[in-house]
């Protein structure tokens, strides 16, 4: 089963963030290969074809997605109220939770911003790698277009997800903390002399 093969790629020891991200990208590449996908965009139907994984869209879920195991099957619940591009990203994110289920304690880090901070970051990275593979993004960016809307449509992802992926790959710079941020100047109230 594809899931078992991909789970074995995660070492059974504590992983540094860089290592965890490298494993996630390798798993995404192998999953695309196992599903026979070599196109830029990956259809939701391909994700639904993963053996042992059932994807259900549920209205009013309250979260973007959730995963649980029932026997040998994995159930991925996705919020049906969200945009299709968001649902696809969520499905890919939840698949990474499945792949890391047996090694979850190796990804937890003490002293991180939250107990599951690294886990969620790695799942997002996996989703980006699966939906926007490095070679396809580089090829499209250098030969098709550098327009974000065009690329987002080509890979069937949100513009925000595309921007982050372009930064991850190094095709665009990470914005400085307050780039593009402007604020209206609100005058401070003037003090009146005490009577």
């Amino acid at each position: 089963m594809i899931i078992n093969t991909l789970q074995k790629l995660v070492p059974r020891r504590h992983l540094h963030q860089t290592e965890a991200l490298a494993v996630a990208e390798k798993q995404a590449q192998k999953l695309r290969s196992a599903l026979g996908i070599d196109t830029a965009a990956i259809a939701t139907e391909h994700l639904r074809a993963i053996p042992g994984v059932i994807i259900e869209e549920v209205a009013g879920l309250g979260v973007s997605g959730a995963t649980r195991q029932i026997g040998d099957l994995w159930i991925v619940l996705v919020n049906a109220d969200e945009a299709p591009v968001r649902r696809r990203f969520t499905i890919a994110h939840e698949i990474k939770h499945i792949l890391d289920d047996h090694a979850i304690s190796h990804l937890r880090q003490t002293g991180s911003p939250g107990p599951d901070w690294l886990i969620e970051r790695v799942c997002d990275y996996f989703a980006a790698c699966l939906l926007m593979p490095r070679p396809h993004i580089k090829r499209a960016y250098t030969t098709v277009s550098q327009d974000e809307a065009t690329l987002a449509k080509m890979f069937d992802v949100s513009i925000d997800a595309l921007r982050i992926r372009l930064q991850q790959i190094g095709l665009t710079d990470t914005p400085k903390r307050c780039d593009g941020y402007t604020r209206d100047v609100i005058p401070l109230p003037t003090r009146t002399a005490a009577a």
Side-chain angles (χ1 to χ4, degrees), residues 109-162:
Q109 289 184 340
T110 54
S112 62
D116 294 330
W117 172 82
L118 179 59
I119 295 166
E120 295 304 316
R121 182 174 175 147
V122 171
C123 289
D124 282 346
Y125 188 76
F126 171 85
C129 292
L130 185 63
L131 301 176
M132 299 168 277
R134 184 179 303 267
H136 292 287
I137 284 284
K138 282 185 171 182
R139 189 176 316 118
Y141 190 81
T142 57
T143 63
V144 177
S145 176
Q146 293 182 6
D147 177 68
E148 292 174 346
T150 300
L151 291 171
K153 186 174 182 177
M154 183 177 177
F155 287 90
D156 198 14
V157 295
S158 70
I159 289 177
D160 288 338
L162 176 82

Side-chain angles (χ1 to χ4, degrees), residues 8-57:
K8 290 177 185 173
L9 295 175
V10 181
R12 302 269 183 163
R13 57 178 171 73
H14 287 287
L15 301 177
H16 295 284
Q17 179 179 331
T18 306
E19 225 178 350
L21 296 176
V23 169
E25 189 157 12
K26 188 174 189 177
Q27 286 174 315
Q29 292 167 349
K30 289 196 175 286
L31 179 56
R32 286 180 69 95
S33 178
L35 294 173
I37 302 162
D38 193 33
T39 57
I42 182 171
T44 303
E45 289 73 34
H46 288 117
L47 301 175
R48 291 183 185 281
I50 299 171
V53 177
I54 296 172
I55 298 166
E56 294 181 11
E57 295 187 12

Side-chain angles (χ1 to χ4, degrees), residues 153-173:
K153 186 174 182 177
M154 183 177 177
F155 287 90
D156 198 14
V157 295
S158 70
I159 289 177
D160 288 338
L162 176 82
R163 282 183 185 142
I164 292 167
R165 186 66 176 142
L166 292 174
Q167 291 166 10
Q168 289 171 344
I169 292 172
L171 294 173
T172 60
D173 292 331

Side-chain angles (χ1 to χ4, degrees), residues 79-97:
N79 191 336
D81 301 327
E82 294 184 345
V85 292
R86 179 68 187 150
R87 291 194 306 260
R88 283 178 65 254
F89 195 91
T90 297
I91 291 166
H93 174 103
E94 294 299 324
I95 288 168
K96 178 61 173 159
H97 279 301

